[in-house]
Amino acid sequence: MKTNVTNAKLLLVLLSVVALWITLTVLLNSTKIWTAIELPISFHRWNVITKPSWSEAPPRPVVSAAETQLKIKQIMEKLDQLIPPRPFTHINTTTSATHSTATILNPRDTYCTGNQLDILLEARDHLGHQKEYGGDFLRARMSSPALKAGASGKVTDFNNGTYLVSFTLFWEGQVSLSVLLIHPSEGASALWRARNQGYDRVIFTGQFSSGTTKVNTDCALVLNSSAELCQYLDAEDQEAFYCLKPQHMPCAALVHMHSKNTKVSYLSKQERSLFERSNLGVEILKNFNAISVSKCNQGTVPVKKKCKFGMTSTIPSGHVWKDSWKPVSCSLAPVEMKECLRGKFIYLMGDSTVRQWMEYFKTSIDTLKPVDLHETGKLQHQLAVDLDRNINIQWQKHGYPLIGSISYSVKEIEYIARAIDRTGGEKNTIIVISLGQHFRPFPIDVFIKRVLNVHKAVQRLLLRSPDTLVVIKAENIREMNNDVERFSDFHGYIQYLIIKDIFQDLNVGLIDAWDITIAYGTHDVHPPQNVVGNQINILLNYIC
């Protein structure tokens, strides 16, 4: 009897152990089981080495690295078709602004406001031979300096050496027409080929600090070195930046960065002759007389609706009149800035062209007080608040690559996508993103990948907070003769097309700074305050 009781107890213990084992197995494998029956999910983790975070974003669909690479490849293929290789044997066979001819189509004795004026441009080389292919990088503009008026023109490339240049006559008065040959097609082709050959036109120097010891080492997006490297990886989007690891110092000791241009060039000596100052931005229509435009008693002009978020952009998107920006498809109302921004959180993310917005806000709103975030330098994170009106405006720089000859702190550096992921968003939150200028010296896939990653972050934000206002500020045009191989507006124009194409499927606003700065005729990466103010006025009309 005792033996039977003992056996029964042992059996009960054994059954308990088996039951416990089954329970633990189910619990440990529950995540795998859930994943197998649901759509793939992942949870955001902050993986930038220099700045950990303990918060997690909501679950979202996984976009694999392979999918991103496929998208990059598809965009690259489109661009290669847009910018085919052009033969270059001698400068005499390249497009000549002097020898090219321009003819007004259907000329009139009187032009009326609202009319379209078309010019047929026939490109010829320096020997007077007509070109048989397109690809010249042209810039068209009309202006009336006395009226402080200007607008871009639309250029259509027929890919056979002829171009249609169209101007919309927005205002009455004497109007001057201008078409500049920024680069001949052979120059554009050379810039495109050279851009995608290397990462070393700019060298970065990272400063590591440990106690009283400071060590500088080379850093880059790509480092071809057998030495030990520090990898600063954003594991979420697989974007990395590298530094040579200093001896006896950890990678986490990186604190500052600066950069300088190198003497590296991927252009031949013959190709570099295309980018001498005398060959940049040469006027084609210099023999044209000004066009006289009249009102022509066209009756009542229809009243345009107030500009609002989500309106379709046109080419040109507007014009300047008496120093103010006038969009084509809507009207900008005067906005009282303080009241418009009451209760708003404005996040300005990107380069120094949107940092100009921060400076403009601080200058224009006298109740906006800067908050000392204990950082230094022009690239420091900025925050300004108006406590009475609950206005919060901040600017932060984008992640690597960030070009700057003056040393800047990287202790708080982060990618825009990560900053968006940690933003809750709601109807009073406005995010403005500006990317481009710092990417011009690097292969185009670096820019494409960054924009795709920001696009994914904005997509996630609008899923969880669809009433958040997200605005893309396009690039400004800049100086024509400033280190053309690295910073030509040709590079900027390609990036402008890319960012518009990638974001077209999302409900975001576009402030077409590219078109605006052409209309104003500014050739400065940091345009005057009146231009900045007119860009910001578009944002205020979106908000209020």
Side-chain angles (χ1 to χ4, degrees):
M1 180 63 114
K2 189 183 262 189
T3 303
N4 290 339
V5 172
T6 302
N7 289 339
K9 288 182 178 179
L10 287 173
L11 182 61
L12 185 61
V13 170
L14 182 60
L15 288 172
S16 299
V17 169
V18 170
L20 179 61
W21 178 80
I22 291 171
T23 302
L24 288 173
T25 301
V26 171
L27 287 172
L28 288 170
N29 288 279
S30 62
T31 302
K32 294 180 182 177
I33 294 168
W34 180 252
T35 304
I37 62 175
E38 292 288 335
L39 292 173
I41 58 172
S42 69
F43 293 90
H44 169 62
R45 294 178 181 83
W46 193 258
N47 287 298
V48 176
I49 291 172
T50 54
K51 191 172 183 180
S53 167
W54 311 114
S55 62
E56 291 185 339
R60 57 194 184 266
V62 173
V63 178
S64 69
E67 288 177 290
T68 299
Q69 285 304 123
L70 179 60
K71 287 182 181 179
I72 293 172
K73 182 183 177 183
Q74 290 170 342
I75 293 171
M76 289 285 291
E77 287 173 351
K78 285 183 184 177
L79 293 172
D80 284 333
Q81 291 175 359
L82 183 67
I83 319 161
R86 296 302 184 195
F88 176 49
T89 55
H90 193 277
I91 196 164
N92 283 344
T93 63
T94 65
T95 307
S96 163
T98 303
H99 291 83
S100 297
T101 60
T103 306
I104 295 180
L105 300 178
N106 303 315
R108 305 176 188 178
D109 294 331
T110 303
Y111 290 92
C112 302
T113 54
N115 286 169
Q116 180 170 300
L117 186 149
D118 293 323
I119 294 173
L120 181 66
L121 179 65
E122 296 178 290
R124 297 180 180 274
D125 65 21
H126 290 263
L127 300 175
H129 301 139
Q130 185 164 342
K131 299 292 290 291
E132 296 180 352
Y133 50 83
D136 296 316
F137 185 46
L138 306 170
R139 178 171 297 158
R141 181 175 180 261
M142 54 184 278
S143 62
S144 297
L147 300 172
K148 294 184 177 180
S152 68
K154 181 181 178 181
V155 178
T156 303
D157 185 348
F158 294 120
N159 296 310
N160 61 2
T162 62
Y163 303 84
L164 181 67
V165 184
S166 303
F167 295 98
T168 302
L169 304 177
F170 289 110
W171 63 86
E172 59 179 317
Q174 293 296 108
V175 178
S176 298
L177 307 177
S178 167
V179 178
L180 299 180
L181 175 63
I182 309 294
H183 304 309
S185 53
E186 297 81 5
S189 177
L191 286 175
W192 180 242
R193 189 204 74 250
R195 174 173 186 173
N196 294 306
Q197 282 190 251
Y199 298 82
D200 50 354
R201 293 177 191 81
V202 176
I203 187 68
F204 293 87
T205 301
Q207 183 185 89
F208 291 76
S209 179
S210 180
T212 58
T213 305
K214 298 185 188 304
V215 178
N216 291 338
T217 73
D218 287 346
C219 303
L221 289 164
V222 174
L223 272 177
N224 295 318
S225 174
S226 58
E228 186 178 1
L229 301 180
C230 290
Q231 181 191 58
Y232 300 95
L233 176 69
D234 174 49
E236 176 76 20
D237 290 325
Q238 291 299 300
E239 293 196 66
F241 192 76
Y242 301 89
C243 291
L244 294 176
K245 186 180 183 302
Q247 288 187 344
H248 313 302
M249 276 197 188
C251 292
L254 178 65
V255 291
H256 287 92
M257 189 75 63
H258 71 271
S259 69
K260 66 177 181 180
N261 298 338
T262 66
K263 294 182 179 180
V264 172
S265 173
Y266 292 96
L267 297 170
S268 68
K269 183 178 180 181
Q270 190 178 27
E271 287 171 335
R272 284 196 290 273
S273 67
L274 294 172
F275 307 110
E276 294 173 358
R277 182 64 188 95
S278 59
N279 294 326
L280 297 174
V282 185
E283 181 66 65
I284 294 178
L285 302 182
K286 61 183 177 183
N287 296 324
F288 265 58
N289 294 322
I291 303 297
S292 181
V293 181
S294 303
K295 208 166 190 178
C296 300
N297 298 318
Q298 293 179 339
T300 306
V301 178
V303 178
K304 296 178 183 177
K305 293 181 179 179
K306 179 181 176 294
C307 293
K308 61 182 181 180
F309 191 72
M311 283 188 156
T312 305
S313 182
T314 59
I315 302 175
S317 59
H319 69 280
V320 180
W321 169 253
K322 293 185 178 178
D323 217 22
S324 294
W325 179 248
K326 308 291 183 184
V328 167
S329 54
C330 58
S331 66
L332 293 172
V335 177
E336 207 293 306
M337 193 179 294
K338 284 184 185 179
E339 289 308 308
C340 176
L341 297 183
R342 182 184 290 274
K344 300 295 190 296
F345 290 79
I346 313 288
Y347 296 94
L348 307 174
M349 302 178 180
D351 56 33
S352 57
T353 68
V354 78
R355 187 186 68 219
Q356 276 191 287
W357 288 27
M358 184 76 191
E359 301 299 337
Y360 189 92
F361 280 127
K362 290 194 293 186
T363 302
S364 304
I365 304 175
D366 56 3
T367 53
L368 203 60
K369 304 302 180 187
V371 177
D372 186 359
L373 299 177
H374 302 286
E375 297 175 19
T376 58
K378 291 189 74 174
L379 294 178
Q380 64 182 293
H381 192 146
Q382 295 188 42
L383 169 65
V385 297
D386 179 336
L387 295 178
D388 291 335
R389 294 175 179 79
N390 192 25
I391 301 172
N392 180 309
I393 305 176
Q394 54 182 292
W395 172 81
Q396 70 177 88
K397 56 184 176 283
H398 62 69
Y400 308 114
L402 197 68
I403 298 168
S405 58
I406 299 174
S407 181
Y408 57 88
S409 170
V410 296
K411 296 175 186 177
E412 76 297 333
I413 201 167
E414 66 179 337
Y415 291 95
I416 286 178
R418 301 289 74 75
I420 293 171
D421 278 341
R422 62 177 173 77
T423 302
E426 41 83 52
K427 65 179 182 179
N428 288 317
T429 299
I430 299 97
I431 295 176
V432 181
I433 300 165
S434 179
L435 286 169
Q437 298 286 348
H438 294 260
F439 291 81
R440 293 187 183 191
F442 303 101
I444 194 67
D445 63 315
V446 176
F447 181 73
I448 296 171
K449 185 172 186 177
R450 181 63 52 83
V451 176
L452 286 172
N453 290 336
V454 172
H455 174 275
K456 287 184 289 186
V458 171
Q459 195 173 34
R460 293 190 291 266
L461 170 65
L462 295 179
L463 279 173
R464 65 181 181 267
S465 301
D467 49 359
T468 306
L469 186 67
V470 179
V471 175
I472 306 298
K473 177 202 162 291
E475 290 185 52
N476 302 330
I477 63 170
R478 65 179 300 160
E479 305 81 2
M480 270 191 232
N481 61 334
N482 181 18
D483 202 343
V484 178
E485 184 174 352
R486 292 174 182 81
F487 298 110
S488 168
D489 271 345
F490 171 74
H491 299 316
Y493 179 65
I494 298 303
Q495 294 178 172
Y496 165 69
L497 297 179
I498 289 168
I499 205 165
K500 287 207 301 180
D501 181 64
I502 289 176
F503 274 95
Q504 67 179 335
D505 65 328
L506 292 183
N507 185 30
V508 300
L510 172 70
I511 294 181
D512 198 341
W514 187 268
D515 195 50
I516 292 171
T517 49
I518 289 176
Y520 273 98
T522 64
H523 293 284
D524 188 339
V525 66
H526 299 120
Q529 284 291 91
N530 64 308
V531 179
V532 175
N534 275 278
Q535 292 175 355
I536 289 174
N537 190 45
I538 301 172
L539 177 72
L540 297 177
N541 274 259
Y542 285 164
I543 296 172
C544 302

